[in-house]
Amino acid sequence: MTQKVRLGIIGLGTQGSMYAKFIADGMVPNMVVTAIADTDPAKATVVRDTYPDAHFYDDHIALLESGDVDAVVTTVPHFLHPQMGIDALSRGVHALVEKPAGVYTKQVSELLAFAETVPQLSFGIMFNQRNNPLYRRLKEIVDAGEIGDIRRTNWIITTWWRPQGYYDQSEWRATWGGEGGGVLVNQAPHQLDLWQWICGVPEKVFSKVAYGFRRNIAVEDEVTAVVDYGNGATGVFVTATHDLTGTDRFEILGDAGKIVVENSKTATVTRLKKPERELSESMSMQDVGKLFMGQLDPTEYYTTETIEFESAWGDQHSGVLENFAANILDGTPLLAPGSDGIKGVRLANAIHLSSWTGKEVSLDFDEDEYLAELNKRIADEAKFPVRA
């Protein structure tokens, strides 16, 4: 491949360093790192020693205006993603925003509105789990109607155990003003995205959320949310950071089948031979009894498939980078368009707002109401300025 996208990395922290390494190691053949920006002067030495062909900038605007890059990825604190995305797009630079797209929907809406004014530029978000072959296959199954209409969804994802020392290592971590929330904002955005990507966007949510439940922090470390899809179907999302052994189990029940995912690795897909309602109305009680006692072959009523893919570490992230570059070079459709970034943020905001108000919250809630409630908590912390 002779044509490559010149990428600038804004923020050389854990994520930015990982992406730089992927590209340097040839895992993204249509991309090359030509510039890196970081406010930490010590990173200049790291760039010089590790990525000598990349220019270093201590300011992201200088990088964007340097002419060194075609595109950037924003690996910076959550609150900064929307404005940096706008900064890039307004200068004719393609933008890949790290998840989450922002902390609150009002700021993400501003990014999306600006992106619509420059449709010639590529705008994506790093939802690397959408490049997980297991979840891509499950979305195909659901979209094709292979398990019928969804009736219930459940995701328990508590594999985010974090000790107190994790929160104590930085002043901004697990704060309303510095990070914008807890497990919903920092650990679980990928699952919130996959949940709505595969199962659809709910209409309403009611939540019970604990703040500083098992950790000395201000933000949420335990979440239980119940959503209403508006057609009689419901869903439950449970997440936490204090479960040492953790559980990752995702279930999707349809009226013609069921999907059960364990540890984001193995999926069991059951497909009914007839819709469940039809089986209910047509089976005799004698047959029901035989089925319960194991005297009938269950394959008369359903088939079962086990799905599992090998997915090497790094393939999902590098695949999103490669796809983003391909979108720039030849118009290949994006795996994760930037416009999708607001959906998970909106769901997280609605979960917060429901717990704060004690009410069921519509997914088209008032953005200003959420921001006002968030700013109350930022002001109470007295560590960071309130947000506009």
Side-chain angles (χ1 to χ4, degrees):
M1 181 176 295
T2 56
Q3 193 174 10
K4 295 188 178 185
V5 169
R6 300 175 303 155
L7 182 72
I9 297 175
I10 302 176
L12 195 65
T14 301
Q15 290 298 112
S17 297
M18 183 173 69
Y19 299 160
K21 187 177 189 310
F22 288 161
I23 296 168
D25 289 348
M27 293 176 66
V28 190
N30 54 358
M31 187 172 275
V32 59
V33 177
T34 53
I36 296 173
D38 199 289
T39 56
D40 180 0
K43 296 296 176 65
T45 302
V46 175
V47 172
R48 184 183 67 243
D49 294 344
T50 311
Y51 308 104
D53 295 331
H55 295 136
F56 178 79
Y57 296 91
D58 60 8
D59 176 77
H60 77 282
I61 297 295
L63 180 150
L64 292 170
E65 296 180 347
S66 67
D68 289 339
V69 301
D70 305 308
V72 292
V73 59
T74 64
T75 52
V76 293
H78 309 143
F79 276 111
L80 301 178
H81 293 161
Q83 186 57 52
M84 286 191 174
I86 292 172
D87 290 343
L89 295 171
S90 65
R91 290 166 173 79
V93 176
H94 307 281
L96 177 62
V97 177
E98 183 56 72
K99 62 83 185 169
V103 171
Y104 51 98
T105 57
K106 189 173 183 179
Q107 62 170 184
V108 181
S109 295
E110 292 172 357
L111 169 60
L112 269 53
F114 187 86
E116 289 179 356
T117 69
V118 284
Q120 72 277 14
L121 296 176
S122 297
F123 170 46
I125 185 165
M126 181 54 84
F127 281 146
N128 57 281
Q129 282 293 315
R130 290 195 183 188
N131 197 37
N132 182 325
L134 177 65
Y135 287 117
R136 291 177 70 176
R137 176 66 185 126
L138 298 184
K139 179 172 173 59
E140 290 173 354
I141 289 171
V142 172
D143 287 352
E146 293 182 33
I147 64 167
D149 293 331
I150 291 176
R151 296 302 179 218
R152 187 183 68 247
T153 70
N154 303 278
W155 203 334
I156 301 175
I157 175 70
T158 60
T159 53
W160 304 124
W161 185 76
R162 297 292 186 273
Q164 186 63 45
Y166 166 83
Y167 297 108
D168 294 341
Q169 62 185 336
S170 300
E171 274 293 310
W172 57 268
R173 195 179 293 279
T175 60
W176 292 113
E179 198 161 24
V183 63
L184 290 173
V185 173
N186 197 26
Q187 281 83 31
H190 285 300
Q191 284 70 40
L192 289 176
D193 174 64
L194 289 173
W195 192 28
Q196 61 81 30
W197 186 54
I198 296 171
C199 302
V201 179
E203 292 187 0
K204 299 176 182 178
V205 61
F206 180 79
S207 67
K208 297 292 287 186
V209 179
Y211 300 91
F213 176 52
R214 303 300 296 166
R215 297 291 180 264
N216 184 27
I217 57 176
V219 296
E220 77 280 357
D221 57 347
E222 169 79 21
V223 175
T224 300
V226 179
V227 299
D228 180 349
Y229 291 101
N231 57 359
T234 58
V236 178
F237 188 82
V238 176
T239 191
T241 60
H242 56 82
D243 183 347
L244 183 59
T245 56
T247 298
D248 181 1
R249 183 179 176 91
F250 181 26
E251 296 187 7
I252 309 170
L253 176 66
D255 58 12
K258 184 177 183 179
I259 296 172
V260 178
V261 187
E262 294 284 3
N263 299 316
S264 295
K265 183 179 181 182
T266 304
T268 301
V269 182
T270 302
R271 298 175 177 88
L272 302 184
K273 296 291 183 69
K274 297 178 181 179
E276 184 276 333
R277 194 72 174 266
E278 190 174 331
L279 289 173
S280 169
E281 294 172 350
S282 64
M283 285 180 68
S284 69
M285 288 309 297
Q286 183 178 11
D287 283 344
V288 171
K290 289 180 179 180
L291 182 64
F292 285 169
M293 291 185 290
Q295 296 173 356
L296 286 181
D297 183 357
T299 60
E300 292 185 27
Y301 302 100
Y302 58 82
T303 62
T304 301
E305 177 189 12
T306 300
I307 302 174
E308 186 170 347
F309 291 93
E310 291 296 326
S311 184
W313 184 84
D315 281 356
Q316 294 168 18
H317 290 89
S318 61
V320 172
L321 290 166
E322 185 175 359
N323 168 259
F324 177 63
N327 181 259
I328 295 169
L329 295 172
D330 60 26
T332 297
L334 288 168
L335 290 171
S339 56
D340 283 1
I342 197 169
K343 295 177 182 177
V345 176
R346 182 180 290 120
L347 188 50
N349 285 181
I351 293 171
H352 277 147
L353 191 57
S354 174
S355 76
W356 293 340
T357 62
K359 300 176 181 177
E360 186 176 52
V361 169
S362 170
L363 266 289
D364 62 354
F365 59 85
D366 185 334
E367 292 182 340
D368 289 322
E369 180 186 6
Y370 177 83
L371 182 54
E373 291 291 336
L374 175 63
N375 276 330
K376 287 179 185 177
R377 287 152 181 83
I378 294 174
D380 287 344
E381 282 180 336
K383 293 181 179 179
F384 301 91
V386 297
R387 302 290 172 167

